[in-house]
């Protein structure tokens, strides 16, 4: 049973069902044992320390590189991105002239307030919109400099532009689910871009694979004001497998709905991607072949998220 036309999964829940329709039930091997998931307990990384050049900078760069090489994800604080959109006395705030956050449209004029929150964006063209993005959104650039720098590559502006020039933002609402043990918000998958930066509310539900151990799941507990950063497939390929694209999954809950906002930072579509020559030279072998990013995207989006590694598209199989 598909969601009632136009009303989404929220519409299904609102219609009062007590069990989820068959189409939403995950096969047993895809369900995860949340009770026994590992609790992620590494402290978040203080991104503000990347701005200097002293030992603090090197320590933070090291923390990022280590996380990218092992788990493929980490949390950051002091990132400078204003996250708190506390409603002002007018009932809305505007972080930029193009974006409005609020509840009712004109609260001071309305007899009763609407039972909703919204984010409204006006949009004319990229250049105009980008002028209003906080400068701190340049994290993709910093992360690229740190991770590629560690591989002996200093990306120039044009390399940065092609590797992280495309952004995709998703605003996701996961409604309360009557059968959280049978369903997933998002099945297991890898993010295909270069990095993903995720803002989530306080509910939690994101689990990453525990690389290097038994493929257990690690629950990433939401930390107030922190952002979660995942390595994506492209960074794994550029690094010839040194950095790990984090396989992850989103669980559902019978008690709380959840909101998350990932920004997928990816290469421009026509970019040719291959392991960086400097790394291949060091490693003596390329683990991935060259391809055009849009072909990778098309291949992955043409297939269901069925647990198959998106990276297989580019992997060179041993002869
Ligand atoms: O909601 C989340 O925490 C993550 C969503 C996600 O993994 C995705 O959309 O690719
Ligand atoms: Fe994802």
């Amino acid at each position: 049973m598909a969601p009632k036309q136009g009303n989404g999964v929220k519409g299904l829940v609102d219609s009062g069902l007590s069990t989820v329709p068959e189409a939403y039930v995950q096969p047993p091997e895809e369900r995860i044992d949340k009770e026994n998931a590992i609790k992620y307990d590494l402290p978040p990384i203080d991104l503000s320390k990347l701005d200097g050049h002293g030992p603090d900078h090197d320590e933070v760069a090291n923390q990022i590189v280590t996380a990218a090489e092992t788990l493929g994800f980490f949390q950051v604080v002091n990132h400078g991105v204003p996250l708190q959109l506390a409603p002002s006395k007018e009932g809305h705030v505007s972080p930029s002239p193009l974006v409005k956050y609020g509840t009712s449209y004109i609260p001071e004029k309305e007899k009763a307030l609407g039972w909703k929150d919204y984010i409204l964006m006006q949009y004319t063209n990229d250049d105009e919109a980008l002028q209003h993005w906080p400068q701190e959104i340049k994290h993709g650039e910093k992360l690229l400099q740190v991770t590629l720098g560690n591989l002996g590559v200093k990306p120039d502006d044009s390399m940065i532009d092609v590797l992280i020039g495309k952004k995709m933002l998703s605003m996701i609402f996961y409604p309360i689910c009557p059968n959280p043990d049978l369903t997933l918000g998002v099945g297991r998958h890898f993010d295909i871009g270069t990095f993903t930066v995720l803002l989530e509310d306080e509910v939690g539900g994101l689990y990453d694979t525990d690389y290097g151990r038994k493929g257990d799941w690690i629950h990433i507990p939401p930390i107030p004001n922190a952002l979660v950063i995942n390595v994506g497939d492209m960074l794994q390929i550029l690094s010839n497998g040194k950095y790990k694209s984090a396989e992850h999954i989103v669980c559902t809950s019978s008690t709380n709905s959840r909101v998350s906002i990932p920004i997928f930072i990816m290469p421009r579509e026509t970019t040719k991607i291959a392991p960086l020559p400097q790394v291949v030279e060091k490693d003596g072998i390329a683990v991935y072949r060259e391809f055009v990013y849009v072909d990778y995207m098309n291949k992955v989006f043409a297939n269901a998220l069925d647990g198959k590694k998106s990276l297989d598209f580019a992997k060179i199989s041993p002869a």
Side-chain angles (χ1 to χ4, degrees), residues 258-310:
R258 173 171 180 261
V259 170
S260 79
I261 307 180
I263 299 185
F264 303 98
I265 301 179
M266 341 192 232
R268 289 189 184 268
E269 294 194 357
T270 53
T271 308
K272 280 191 185 153
I273 301 287
L276 295 161
Q278 294 89 331
V279 186
V280 175
E281 199 183 314
K282 240 183 263 162
D283 294 351
I285 187 170
V287 184
Y288 301 103
R289 65 180 175 83
E290 185 181 91
F291 56 90
V292 179
Y293 181 62
V294 70
D295 293 338
Y296 193 96
M297 272 179 83
N298 289 343
K299 178 76 187 172
V300 171
F301 289 133
N303 289 313
L305 293 176
D306 59 0
K308 207 168 146 345
K309 282 189 166 203
S310 38

Side-chain angles (χ1 to χ4, degrees), residues 142-160:
K142 281 190 204 157
L143 293 170
L144 199 66
Q145 275 160 348
V146 167
T147 47
L148 298 196
N150 175 60
L151 302 174
V153 178
K154 198 174 176 334
D156 60 14
D157 286 353
S158 86
M159 186 176 183
I160 291 170

Side-chain angles (χ1 to χ4, degrees), residues 9-10 14 171-176 201 256-260:
V9 174
K10 182 174 182 306
D14 292 348
M171 298 188 201
I172 310 173
F173 177 66
Y174 301 97
I176 283 177
D201 64 16
N256 294 295
S257 58
R258 173 171 180 261
V259 170
S260 79

